[in-house]
Amino acid sequence: MSERLLPASPNWYCSRSSDTSPKGVFGFGAKSSVYLVNVTAASPVIAGELKGHRERVSGFAFCRYPGQEEICASSSDDGSVKIWDSQKQATLKEHKAHQSTITSLHWSPVVKDLLVSGDEKGIVVCFWHNRNETQSFFPEPRTIFCLSCSPHNENYIAVGYKDGMIVVIDISRKSEVLHRLRGHDDEIHALAWCPQPGEEELLPRAEETAEAEVANGRKVPDGERGCYLASGSKDQTVRVWSTARGKGVMTLKLPFLKRRGLGVDPTVKERLWLTVHWPHTRPTQIISSCFGGELVVWDLTRSGKQKWALLGSSSEGQNHTRIVFNMSSVCMGESRELLISTSMDRDVKCWDLETLDCCWTLPSLGGFVYSLTFSPVDTGSLALGVGDNMIRVWSTLSIQNRYDTKTFWQGIKSKVTALSWHPLKEGHLAFGTDDGKVGIYDSYSNKPPQISSSYHRKTVYTLAWGPPVPPLSFGGEGDRPTVTLYSCAGEGVILQHNPWKLAGEANDIDKVIRDTNGIKHKLSPHTDLSWKPDGEILAIGNEDGSIEILQAPALRLLCSIQQHHKIINVLRWHHEHGSQPDASHLLASGSNNATVYVHNLKSIIETPSDTPVLVTEPYRSLVGHTAKITSLAWSPHHDGRLVSVCYDGTAQVWDVLKEEAICNYRGHRGRLLCVQWSPVDPDLVWTGGDDFTVQEWAVSKQEHTKPPKGKKSIELEKKRGLQPKPKAKKKKKPAGKGHVAGDQGGRGAEEGASEPEEEQEDVPVKTEHTPTTAAVSKEPRCRQPDAIVGGKGFSFVARESLKDEKQREKQAEAPVKKKKPRSILPLSTSMDHRSREDQQRDCLTLAAVRHSQALPSNCVPGSGAHIQLGLFGDRAALYTMFEEEGRSHIEGGHYESLNSLLLWKGDLAGALQVAIEKGELTEHLVAVSPMAGYQVWVRAVEAFVKQLCFQEQYVKAASYLLSVHKVYEAIDLLKSQQLYREAIALAKARLLPEDPVIKNLYTTWAAILERDGHYSNAAKCYLAADSTYDAAKVIAKKGDVMSLKTAAELALIVGENALSNSLALRCARELLTAQDWLGAREVLQAQESLLGHQLVFCTSELLHQCLAGTKLIDWGSASSHGWTVGSGVPFVDAVAVVWEREFGVSSADVDKVKLLHQQVKSVENPAATANIPIKQLLFHLSHDLTLAVLSSVALARGETVTAMLGALTRCRDATHFTLMRELCRLLLPKGMQSVSSLKAQLDHTDTHSIAAVQSLEAFVCYFQLYEMWWNQSNERPSETQPEKAALPQPSVAGLQRDAQNPSEPAAVNGTGPQDTADEEQGAIPTEEGSDTLEEEPCRSQEAMLASACAVLISETHAALQTTRSVIEEIQLRLSSMMQQHLHTAATPEEQQKELHALPESGSEHEATAASQSGASTAESTSLTSLIASVSEYNKQLAEIPEHIKRYPFPDVIECCLVILHMGRDSASALPEDLQRRCLALLHKYGTAASVIKARHKFCA
């Protein structure tokens, strides 16, 4: 359950989609849900949500019967009417009696179980839910807009229609129409009955009505008392009707008010909605809405200007800013009545009808919540970017109003998809929109925002403030801004905007990246960016899944992270104020592959390499989500605590350092899009999603730990499926064959609300844009379904008589008579079919024309009634006839015949002009057009090309362009229609090879093929365009072994060696996951520069073979080499033998070995954790062991010991005790003798090497100690066996304590470290073959145990470990005290009191601190004293040599406990002085409560 939330906005254009119960619960329909709000005069509280409808909620009403106020009902566009228990938020009953869309709903105020609903076909359905009985009425064949049940007569229902008619029906008389109330001219939006029966009060004032009163129905008998009915209509009037007399008694015309608020967008057109409400306690007053969101109180007992008053007139900003849809009221006590209103401005307001002032406002959201961000300057100001084209700034820390929200809409006009507060200037908020706009708002002023003149072509995904980079970084301090604004959008471009000059052109940072790093290939499209809080490092995520780490201001590439293989959606740097030293260098990333990766980039940032480093291993992998990751946020109150949100509908909180899931929030109904951690409360998180809500929830109150899987994820999908689906939009007809729809700039399909004015959104979550090719498929006609009879199918065919069949056969056999072609001279031809007398008269007329000087009257040969004579007269008569026939052809649309006539006449230009104007050019006309001249021919060809394009004959059109030597135009035509194959063929055939048009065609087509998933074809295009880098990258995009291998080979062929190495490594890792050793080696062998990695893979295979006989490896190998490791031979030596035989790596070529060592060492693996998979751990161990073998071959014994110790330390950090023991046996098969041999080869002047071998020696002794302890336990009598179960497990006792400090032994005070080191060095046995881990025949158990204990009992390391533990505990206490202070302190006096008088300490941490410093544990400690203690201990740590602190060491206190426990059972096995030393160390350093408890248990 959420602590607070902003709900989805109430649905628009519904007559009653909200209502208030008598107990003060307000419910309103929002999308497909109903939100419940507890109403008080002070503030609202969201009480719950009713979920169950699949489409928009169109009506909602509470039952008003005493004792059943918690029962409510809702109707929906899905055709259902549901009855709910609002307290249990569960469905009680449901019916689907309506066949059309339900438009109105009301619960009878008199009958407790009667629910009435109406639909757009005019059907009224009465549902008695206790009897589960429905009854339908059809009073009028009109569309119902609203209805209302009488509060005084259980059988009366008033129904308002779309055309302005109102009827009052009696359902007890078979829906008899009591009255037809005519007077309104337009839609009836609301009906309200007077709460008081009778009509006495207003009857004397009935004469004041402005129009004649005409009876509209039968008159109610004198024995029945009438009741007034108010109606609100779109015709801008409110009318009051008498149901006793069936006529109108008063007409109220809305006043024209010029009170439109400042929050109104003048470009938004909205229709009037006039709703009315009759308050329960005010029978002489009516409340109605007005033109612009104002609410008007009408006093029916007054006249003139005193008749009405405005709500909220006492101060500005109280009124709604847009039209009001619904009103309802609730009585709070005897005299106070509160009115609740919902509006198009998406606010829910509560009004006090006594004072007419607004009590509170509950904002709501009308779109997806794309972005959340807290102000770094104004603490608690949360900015929301919403898909309803508005920005909201929520003061979350406001005490008086928990929903204090300010709305910004000016200059936006599109979905707000990205937000970012200025890090220094209070109130300055940058925003990005769905249409590519970037601007900056000043939230403390009413001015419009500043808009950048540089627009993105697609949706803005991310905004970030960061230090300027070239060219804005040039100049002095006063000549350039301290921070600039960066925006990343869907086209893959990152722009740098100058906040001082937004009107200037923004800069594409890709140019800086190219110039600084000498990159010539095309950069992958960018999808996200994140500046490190210190402003020195920029992380950029790309569409291909890579992440680039760049150093400001020149943006030098430090490393490339190839972890994700899908589009990067979000990047987040850890905050800078953590207590862990490495935390500030953690970078979290999320992509479409549902896994969150965290990388520790400390070494890369602090000691950058000369060449960019390739990172392929994450520091932590957070697995659990089941869909794409959309947003991440680090907790500003903790170290390494991260929250992620996802398309699976949940938010997950992680402990990154432990790689563990903490809690999972499932309060949303849809996909989550953004998340923010509260800046003031470490337990609160804010999330927003596509369910139109922002929710605040507490981490500590969640019952789930991990995201849902299996059935739970299916339930969440069903839950999201209950949301309304967007109405299908009509698709535009594709322009033609091969047409590719353009990118929509969105991130998926959004389910918007179903109101006409409300948005139907697209989700701009980053996705790889996949254009769809419109192809017209011809489908066969559907076959009529066969009738099923007795389980078999039978086709019913109509019987035909034999006579009919024979008749058809005769018709088929009869010869087909050819149809005579249509004459080109139809008018003159038709004259030949007249009577003989008329034709003979034509002969006389023709003779007179040809042989007489005087023409007959009214005779013009070739026109009119003598048109047929034009064929027999002179040429002028013939031309006249042609003109008459041509006009006839134009009227009939026979342009081809007209053109023939013009051609016969010799008017070729005229024929072409007519054909061009009418779009009736033919190939014949174009062919003969050169006869009219070159210019005419060119115009004819161009016109014919347009005509062919209109007919979707693009290839033929391009061919005609070639005929007039317009090659480039022909290529552009084919390209514009996505016919790239044809365009390239034409360009290569007609243009020079070096023409840039050819390369542009290849790259453009490649980009489309890449987005469409045709990677191989895209690679061919890139190769043809000489973009070899992009060709290899696009083939590798699929990510499978075959693609990676092909891409690596391709990159090697074209000379992209660095890329080839990267891809080959990825491919080899994939093969290693499948245990295909032969395949991995084959891939790496092709890369000469990857010999070092070949050695790592060889070491990994040998390590797997050595561990195959244990229980550590339970998987088989797909293929492997025949390499073997001899028993009893140190693993390092065995590997070196295989290397020399297979790879030619030996000590003979020391320079080569050193280069290989440098290559392998350049790859950094993250520190191990308890949750690391065993396969990944083994590969990391192989890397450490490869360094050890290379150092051994190069005779660098000190580095060999360090690498071996690193491998053992990695096992310890992973808390894998068994693997650590097996590895120790492999590396040091003779135990202490092997250690002594290594030590003898070291340079004793090298303090670091000596310290490393001492730590290695200590771990060998540590294993000996535990094995002897267990052997001793197994030899006990049976009666002591139960005591064995109480002994600590070695993997818990010795390893977990140091797991968080991989390279930390502990701390010092007292004994000098050098003296202790010399003492330990003298205690190491040096006899030949004296110590082995498995059997030691030459030495007794007592001597073996004594030598091991002498190494382990190091006072130096005991002091070091204890001091570090004390410092850590004090720091934790300080952090806890500060958080408690920030959370609980209310006044400055209380803050001072808490800072200087903290509670007394009784914990083990301060007891230990007191033992170190000599202070009493009972002494009260203050914040100042704790800080001083930490400073003192840090000084002590600084005095210890680095070679002591650098290497890990077993827990000395733990070893003392084990030794004393063993000595208790067999006193002769251990010297007394050794036990005394252990007791002394325990008394001195083992003062923690847990150690004291263990000492009493083990050593008593």
Side-chain angles (χ1 to χ4, degrees):
M1 185 65 186
S2 61
E3 303 294 312
R4 263 190 297 182
L5 70 82
L6 286 185
S9 65
N11 292 334
W12 297 352
Y13 299 108
C14 300
S15 62
R16 183 184 280 107
S17 63
S18 65
D19 196 12
T20 309
S21 75
K23 289 188 174 181
V25 178
F26 174 66
F28 63 91
K31 297 183 66 183
S32 61
S33 303
V34 175
Y35 287 94
L36 303 175
V37 182
N38 288 329
V39 176
T40 64
S43 64
V45 178
I46 305 293
E49 182 181 1
L50 305 180
K51 312 168 188 175
H53 289 295
R54 293 188 174 273
E55 294 187 30
R56 183 193 68 145
V57 173
S58 59
F60 179 77
F62 273 104
C63 176
R64 299 194 171 276
Y65 196 82
Q68 293 191 0
E69 295 91 345
E70 71 279 358
I71 306 299
C72 57
S74 62
S75 62
S76 169
D77 289 348
D78 60 14
S80 65
V81 175
K82 294 179 180 287
I83 296 179
W84 309 81
D85 186 328
S86 61
Q87 290 184 347
K88 299 179 180 178
Q89 299 177 16
T91 305
L92 302 178
K93 292 285 182 66
E94 178 181 2
H95 81 78
K96 294 186 177 180
H98 288 280
Q99 301 299 320
S100 301
T101 303
I102 303 172
T103 56
S104 56
L105 181 77
H106 194 211
W107 201 300
S108 172
V110 181
V111 183
K112 65 179 181 180
D113 65 339
L114 174 58
L115 184 65
V116 184
S117 55
D119 61 32
E120 62 183 12
K121 295 297 183 182
I123 304 297
V124 177
V125 175
C126 295
F127 178 49
W128 290 267
H129 69 86
N130 287 342
R131 309 197 302 262
N132 202 24
E133 176 184 337
T134 61
Q135 189 173 356
S136 299
F137 305 98
F138 189 49
E140 292 287 340
R142 312 167 191 266
T143 299
I144 296 176
F145 249 58
C146 59
L147 57 79
S148 181
C149 300
S150 171
H152 312 299
N153 191 315
E154 64 182 24
N155 297 318
Y156 286 5
I157 300 174
V159 184
Y161 292 94
K162 184 177 181 179
D163 61 356
M165 170 73 76
I166 301 173
V167 300
V168 180
I169 63 174
D170 187 341
I171 59 175
S172 65
R173 301 179 182 178
K174 296 184 179 180
S175 72
E176 176 185 353
V177 176
L178 300 178
H179 302 290
R180 285 183 173 84
L181 307 176
R182 297 179 177 89
H184 287 295
D185 300 327
D186 214 331
E187 303 165 357
I188 306 298
H189 292 159
L191 294 170
W193 294 87
C194 179
Q196 179 176 313
E199 301 178 357
E200 290 78 6
E201 290 191 27
L202 299 184
L203 283 178
R205 311 192 64 83
E207 294 78 16
E208 296 181 5
T209 182
E211 61 183 35
E213 300 171 350
V214 180
N216 289 281
R218 74 174 182 88
K219 188 173 182 179
V220 179
D222 295 336
E224 298 182 17
R225 299 182 65 190
C227 179
Y228 287 120
L229 175 69
S231 61
S233 171
K234 189 179 178 181
D235 64 6
Q236 305 180 13
T237 63
V238 176
R239 293 176 182 264
V240 180
W241 308 87
S242 167
T243 58
R245 293 174 291 169
K247 62 181 181 181
V249 297
M250 188 173 293
T251 301
L252 309 172
K253 294 184 179 179
L254 294 184
F256 183 76
L257 303 170
K258 296 182 180 179
R259 291 180 54 85
R260 298 299 297 268
L262 295 176
V264 179
D265 188 350
T267 63
V268 177
K269 295 182 179 179
E270 57 192 46
R271 71 191 202 207
L272 173 67
W273 190 271
L274 206 167
T275 184
V276 295
H277 176 72
W278 214 313
H280 304 302
T281 59
R282 289 168 169 77
T284 62
Q285 292 182 354
I286 293 177
I287 303 174
S288 74
S289 60
C290 202
F291 295 103
E294 303 89 351
L295 295 180
V296 181
V297 180
W298 302 89
D299 190 336
L300 304 181
T301 61
R302 297 185 180 183
S303 60
K305 294 183 179 180
Q306 298 179 349
K307 181 180 291 188
W308 57 269
L310 282 178
L311 273 74
S313 59
S314 61
S315 61
E316 282 292 330
Q318 292 194 51
N319 281 303
H320 288 287
T321 57
R322 308 209 24 205
I323 56 175
V324 175
F325 291 112
N326 297 140
M327 293 184 290
S328 59
S329 62
V330 59
C331 297
M332 309 296 289
E334 296 182 357
S335 60
R336 192 173 192 183
E337 186 171 358
L338 300 180
L339 177 75
I340 316 295
S341 59
T342 64
S343 166
M344 187 182 275
D345 63 7
R346 308 189 191 280
D347 284 342
V348 177
K349 289 183 178 288
C350 176
W351 307 84
D352 189 335
L353 293 183
E354 184 67 32
T355 63
L356 302 185
D357 286 333
C358 181
C359 302
W360 48 258
T361 299
L362 173 65
S364 62
L365 309 177
F368 292 7
V369 183
Y370 293 112
S371 180
L372 294 174
T373 178
F374 275 103
S375 171
V377 182
D378 183 9
T379 305
S381 289
L382 176 64
L384 287 66
V386 189
D388 56 8
N389 305 354
M390 290 190 284
I391 299 171
R392 294 165 176 80
V393 177
W394 185 359
S395 298
T396 59
L397 301 183
S398 175
I399 299 176
Q400 296 180 349
N401 182 4
R402 300 182 74 224
Y403 294 94
D404 183 9
T405 304
K406 190 175 181 181
T407 303
F408 303 91
W409 55 266
Q410 289 179 299
I412 298 177
K413 301 178 182 178
S414 186
K415 304 167 191 173
V416 182
T417 54
L419 293 172
S420 181
W421 288 99
H422 196 287
L424 303 174
K425 292 184 178 180
E426 186 175 4
H428 280 61
L429 176 65
F431 67 91
T433 66
D434 182 57
D435 59 0
K437 184 186 304 179
V438 175
I440 300 176
Y441 249 115
D442 184 355
S443 62
Y444 291 137
S445 72
N446 294 323
K447 296 180 181 179
Q450 303 177 57
I451 304 297
S452 173
S453 61
S454 300
Y455 276 65
H456 287 279
R457 297 197 308 273
K458 295 183 181 177
T459 303
V460 178
Y461 292 153
T462 307
L463 293 173
W465 295 90
V469 301
L472 293 184
S473 60
F474 301 144
E477 289 295 330
D479 300 332
R480 56 182 173 86
T482 55
V483 291
T484 57
L485 179 63
Y486 296 83
S487 60
C488 178
E491 71 268 23
V493 174
I494 296 178
L495 296 180
Q496 179 185 207
H497 307 264
N498 186 347
W500 291 0
K501 300 176 182 178
L502 282 180
E505 184 177 358
N507 305 304
D508 187 348
I509 69 169
D510 276 359
K511 184 179 185 303
V512 182
I513 297 174
R514 287 175 180 275
D515 295 344
T516 301
N517 300 283
I519 299 175
K520 297 182 180 179
H521 60 78
K522 184 190 74 172
L523 295 177
S524 178
H526 308 308
T527 56
D528 197 64
L529 78 153
S530 178
W531 279 97
K532 199 168 180 291
D534 59 9
E536 296 180 358
I537 302 296
L538 173 64
I540 295 178
N542 299 319
E543 190 179 87
D544 60 2
S546 63
I547 302 171
E548 296 165 347
I549 306 300
L550 305 151
Q551 187 177 42
L555 299 186
R556 183 170 78 90
L557 182 62
L558 299 181
C559 77
S560 178
I561 301 173
Q562 300 285 347
Q563 195 65 52
H564 300 276
H565 303 311
K566 294 186 178 180
I567 182 172
I568 300 295
N569 291 328
V570 58
L571 297 170
R572 291 291 183 271
W573 288 97
H574 195 282
H575 55 80
E576 293 286 316
H577 51 271
S579 59
Q580 295 289 338
D582 296 346
S584 62
H585 296 88
L586 296 181
L587 175 66
S589 57
S591 72
N592 283 6
N593 65 357
T595 301
V596 178
Y597 290 112
V598 181
H599 291 84
N600 188 347
L601 304 175
K602 180 179 181 181
S603 60
I604 295 173
I605 294 174
E606 293 183 348
T607 57
S609 173
D610 294 336
T611 58
V613 178
L614 178 65
V615 178
T616 58
E617 288 293 331
Y619 174 70
R620 296 290 185 267
S621 299
L622 308 178
V623 181
H625 284 298
T626 56
K628 65 174 68 175
I629 308 297
T630 53
S631 187
L632 301 168
W634 291 97
S635 167
H637 314 282
H638 309 84
D639 286 340
R641 184 160 295 187
L642 180 72
V643 59
S644 58
V645 294
C646 173
Y647 262 26
D648 63 10
T650 68
Q652 179 65 45
V653 179
W654 310 88
D655 187 328
V656 173
L657 301 181
K658 297 181 180 178
E659 208 168 4
E660 293 177 353
I662 296 178
C663 79
N664 182 257
Y665 179 67
R666 305 180 184 179
H668 286 270
R669 294 190 62 203
R671 301 166 296 185
L672 298 191
L673 304 177
C674 51
V675 63
Q676 280 286 302
W677 211 295
S678 171
V680 294
D681 193 331
D683 197 38
L684 293 182
V685 178
W686 300 75
T687 49
D690 68 1
D691 58 356
F692 291 32
T693 66
V694 170
Q695 301 185 17
E696 175 196 43
W697 48 275
V699 174
S700 60
K701 296 182 181 180
Q702 305 311 311
E703 59 180 359
H704 302 286
T705 304
K706 294 184 178 180
K709 294 182 179 179
K711 294 181 179 179
K712 293 181 180 179
S713 61
I714 296 174
E715 291 173 1
L716 279 179
E717 287 296 330
K718 290 182 178 178
K719 183 179 177 183
R720 288 195 292 271
L722 296 177
Q723 297 190 92
K725 297 181 179 179
K727 296 180 180 179
K729 298 181 180 179
K730 294 183 179 179
K731 296 183 178 179
K732 294 183 179 179
K733 184 178 179 181
K737 209 173 191 179
H739 171 73
V740 178
D743 295 333
Q744 299 302 317
R747 307 185 189 183
E750 174 171 334
E751 299 171 356
S754 56
E755 290 80 7
E757 268 71 10
E758 206 155 349
E759 60 178 346
Q760 300 289 345
E761 297 189 40
D762 291 334
V763 189
V765 172
K766 301 158 196 169
T767 58
E768 297 178 72
H769 306 294
T770 305
T772 57
T773 303
V776 180
S777 61
K778 296 181 179 179
E779 299 181 358
R781 294 181 181 178
C782 297
R783 182 181 175 185
Q784 293 296 329
D786 297 336
I788 305 301
V789 180
K792 298 181 179 180
F794 294 87
S795 296
F796 290 96
V797 182
R799 293 184 177 180
E800 296 181 344
S801 65
L802 184 61
K803 182 178 179 181
D804 294 336
E805 293 179 5
K806 290 181 178 180
Q807 184 68 26
R808 277 209 314 274
E809 290 175 2
K810 288 181 180 180
Q811 293 176 356
E813 293 174 358
V816 179
K817 186 177 180 180
K818 291 185 178 180
K819 187 177 181 181
K820 186 178 180 179
R822 185 178 181 275
S823 174
I824 200 171
L825 303 170
L827 295 181
S828 60
T829 302
S830 65
M831 302 297 283
D832 293 341
H833 301 295
R834 294 177 299 163
S835 64
R836 184 188 304 175
E837 182 182 353
D838 291 337
Q839 293 189 21
Q840 291 175 356
R841 191 179 297 113
D842 286 344
C843 293
L844 296 174
T845 305
L846 180 60
V849 169
R850 293 186 64 84
H851 298 284
S852 175
Q853 297 295 329
L855 293 175
S857 60
N858 300 325
C859 178
V860 180
S863 67
H866 301 91
I867 187 173
Q868 74 280 6
L869 299 182
L871 187 64
F872 306 100
D874 55 8
R875 179 173 292 182
L878 180 66
Y879 283 0
T880 304
M881 183 184 73
F882 279 1
E883 292 176 0
E884 289 279 344
E885 294 284 0
R887 285 192 289 270
S888 174
H889 288 317
I890 291 175
E891 292 176 359
H894 307 302
Y895 300 105
E896 187 175 353
S897 298
L898 173 63
N899 291 331
S900 297
L901 292 177
L902 292 173
L903 287 176
W904 291 355
K905 188 178 176 180
D907 187 7
L908 179 57
L912 291 172
Q913 184 63 32
V914 172
I916 291 173
E917 290 177 356
K918 303 300 182 181
E920 295 291 336
L921 275 173
T922 63
E923 295 184 11
H924 173 255
L925 284 175
V926 177
V928 301
S929 60
M931 297 169 58
Y934 179 78
Q935 296 299 331
V936 175
W937 172 47
V938 172
R939 285 199 301 271
V941 170
E942 292 175 346
F944 192 46
V945 166
K946 293 181 181 178
Q947 182 178 315
L948 289 173
C949 290
F950 184 75
Q951 298 169 357
E952 301 180 3
Q953 300 182 46
Y954 305 111
V955 176
K956 182 183 286 190
S959 300
Y960 271 92
L961 284 173
L962 292 177
S963 67
V964 291
H965 309 294
K966 295 192 174 185
V967 180
Y968 289 103
E969 288 82 354
I971 294 171
D972 289 340
L973 172 61
L974 294 173
K975 178 183 176 182
S976 66
Q977 301 303 322
Q978 312 294 330
L979 298 173
Y980 287 99
R981 191 182 300 274
E982 291 80 0
I984 290 172
L986 175 58
K988 297 200 72 174
R990 300 294 291 269
L991 300 179
L992 295 175
E994 61 271 13
D995 197 306
V997 171
I998 298 177
K999 183 174 182 179
N1000 178 263
L1001 283 172
Y1002 276 125
T1003 54
T1004 306
W1005 191 24
I1008 291 178
L1009 290 169
E1010 183 179 351
R1011 288 196 295 263
D1012 206 26
H1014 304 304
Y1015 300 130
S1016 298
N1017 287 337
K1020 295 174 188 175
C1021 293
Y1022 283 129
L1023 286 173
D1026 293 328
S1027 298
T1028 54
Y1029 184 91
D1030 297 319
K1033 287 283 286 184
V1034 74
I1035 289 182
K1037 202 165 187 178
K1038 194 171 183 63
D1040 60 302
V1041 171
M1042 181 180 295
S1043 300
L1044 291 172
K1045 185 176 180 181
T1046 304
E1049 293 177 0
L1050 189 152
L1052 185 63
I1053 292 172
V1054 300
E1056 296 285 352
N1057 295 328
L1059 178 61
S1060 179
N1061 293 343
S1062 171
L1063 295 173
L1065 276 176
R1066 278 183 59 189
C1067 182
R1069 289 300 304 273
E1070 293 292 333
L1071 291 167
L1072 177 62
T1073 304
Q1075 300 297 301
D1076 187 356
W1077 304 103
L1078 292 177
R1081 184 182 180 188
E1082 179 185 354
V1083 171
L1084 293 176
Q1085 272 182 334
Q1087 312 288 332
E1088 296 180 359
S1089 59
L1090 294 183
L1091 180 57
H1093 295 280
Q1094 292 186 54
L1095 300 181
V1096 174
F1097 276 70
C1098 173
T1099 307
S1100 180
E1101 182 177 357
L1102 292 172
L1103 181 60
H1104 276 75
Q1105 288 185 9
C1106 293
L1107 299 177
T1110 65
K1111 297 182 180 180
L1112 295 171
I1113 297 179
D1114 56 356
W1115 59 84
S1117 298
S1119 64
S1120 61
H1121 299 84
W1123 304 330
T1124 57
V1125 177
S1127 60
V1129 179
F1131 183 76
V1132 172
D1133 298 338
V1135 173
V1137 172
V1138 176
W1139 284 4
E1140 184 175 3
R1141 183 178 68 247
E1142 298 291 335
F1143 304 100
V1145 177
S1146 66
S1147 57
D1149 192 350
V1150 178
D1151 293 336
K1152 178 181 178 181
V1153 174
K1154 289 183 178 178
L1155 287 175
L1156 291 173
H1157 186 277
Q1158 184 179 358
Q1159 182 187 92
V1160 176
K1161 194 173 183 179
S1162 65
V1163 179
E1164 294 190 10
N1165 291 319
T1169 63
N1171 298 320
I1172 186 172
I1174 182 64
K1175 288 186 178 181
Q1176 185 179 357
L1177 177 60
L1178 288 175
F1179 185 76
H1180 293 173
L1181 289 175
S1182 303
H1183 185 271
D1184 296 332
L1185 296 178
T1186 302
L1187 291 174
V1189 178
L1190 286 171
S1191 301
S1192 176
V1193 173
L1195 303 179
R1197 303 302 181 187
E1199 295 184 4
T1200 303
V1201 173
T1202 303
M1204 293 169 63
L1205 182 62
L1208 292 176
T1209 305
R1210 190 178 296 277
C1211 294
R1212 183 201 67 172
D1213 295 341
T1215 66
H1216 213 306
F1217 185 83
T1218 306
L1219 178 59
M1220 186 177 181
R1221 182 181 60 188
E1222 295 295 334
L1223 188 61
C1224 191
R1225 286 175 176 168
L1226 288 174
L1227 297 175
L1228 306 167
K1230 296 183 180 181
M1232 292 298 297
Q1233 181 180 355
S1234 300
V1235 176
S1236 300
S1237 177
L1238 284 173
K1239 192 170 184 179
Q1241 301 173 20
L1242 296 177
D1243 181 5
H1244 289 274
T1245 62
D1246 186 357
T1247 56
H1248 286 281
S1249 299
I1250 296 299
V1253 78
Q1254 288 175 357
S1255 294
L1256 187 65
E1257 178 185 28
F1259 278 110
V1260 174
C1261 295
Y1262 183 72
F1263 285 114
Q1264 287 182 347
L1265 176 64
Y1266 267 102
E1267 288 194 358
M1268 286 185 289
W1269 179 24
W1270 282 107
N1271 291 336
Q1272 177 181 317
S1273 301
N1274 291 332
E1275 295 172 0
R1276 290 179 191 167
S1278 59
E1279 61 270 12
T1280 62
Q1281 287 300 318
E1283 196 173 335
K1284 174 183 173 182
L1287 298 179
Q1289 294 294 327
S1291 60
V1292 177
L1295 302 179
Q1296 286 184 348
R1297 182 165 182 172
D1298 288 337
Q1300 295 183 5
N1301 299 315
S1303 60
E1304 300 174 358
V1308 68
N1309 82 21
T1311 309
Q1314 190 59 47
D1315 297 338
T1316 307
D1318 295 338
E1319 175 188 347
E1320 293 166 2
Q1321 182 179 347
I1324 299 175
T1326 58
E1327 294 93 298
E1328 181 75 8
S1330 62
D1331 291 318
T1332 64
L1333 285 174
E1334 296 182 358
E1335 35 178 75
E1336 302 186 32
C1338 301
R1339 166 170 283 215
S1340 65
Q1341 289 279 11
E1342 292 81 1
M1344 178 180 172
L1345 182 60
S1347 62
C1349 296
V1351 174
L1352 292 171
I1353 303 174
S1354 168
E1355 184 171 357
T1356 303
H1357 291 95
L1360 185 63
Q1361 293 168 356
T1362 304
T1363 304
R1364 280 184 170 166
S1365 177
V1366 170
I1367 292 175
E1368 181 180 354
E1369 298 295 346
I1370 294 177
Q1371 287 177 339
L1372 289 175
R1373 176 167 174 76
L1374 284 172
S1375 175
S1376 176
M1377 291 164 62
M1378 293 301 296
Q1379 289 183 9
Q1380 184 180 3
H1381 162 70
L1382 293 174
H1383 188 66
T1384 59
T1387 63
E1389 294 79 7
E1390 292 175 349
Q1391 293 176 10
Q1392 287 294 97
K1393 182 179 179 180
E1394 187 168 350
L1395 281 173
H1396 296 288
L1398 293 171
E1400 291 189 357
S1401 169
S1403 68
E1404 63 186 64
H1405 317 307
E1406 289 157 85
T1408 307
S1411 69
Q1412 294 289 339
S1413 60
S1416 173
T1417 57
E1419 182 183 355
S1420 63
T1421 58
S1422 65
L1423 183 63
T1424 307
S1425 63
L1426 289 177
I1427 295 175
S1429 299
V1430 173
S1431 176
E1432 181 65 28
Y1433 291 132
N1434 283 326
K1435 288 180 181 179
Q1436 295 181 16
L1437 290 180
E1439 297 173 357
I1440 304 173
E1442 288 298 323
H1443 67 272
I1444 298 295
K1445 297 186 291 184
R1446 180 175 180 181
Y1447 300 104
F1449 200 89
D1451 193 317
V1452 178
I1453 300 301
E1454 172 199 347
C1455 294
C1456 291
L1457 289 172
V1458 175
I1459 291 170
L1460 291 175
H1461 179 73
M1462 294 174 63
R1464 183 194 65 176
D1465 294 336
S1466 54
S1468 61
L1470 292 172
E1472 291 185 2
D1473 60 336
L1474 186 64
Q1475 296 186 52
R1476 284 196 296 270
R1477 285 180 60 194
C1478 292
L1479 280 173
L1481 288 178
L1482 281 177
H1483 284 293
K1484 188 172 184 179
Y1485 301 109
T1487 54
S1490 58
V1491 176
I1492 295 173
K1493 182 178 179 182
R1495 185 174 66 191
H1496 289 313
K1497 184 176 182 180
F1498 277 53
C1499 309

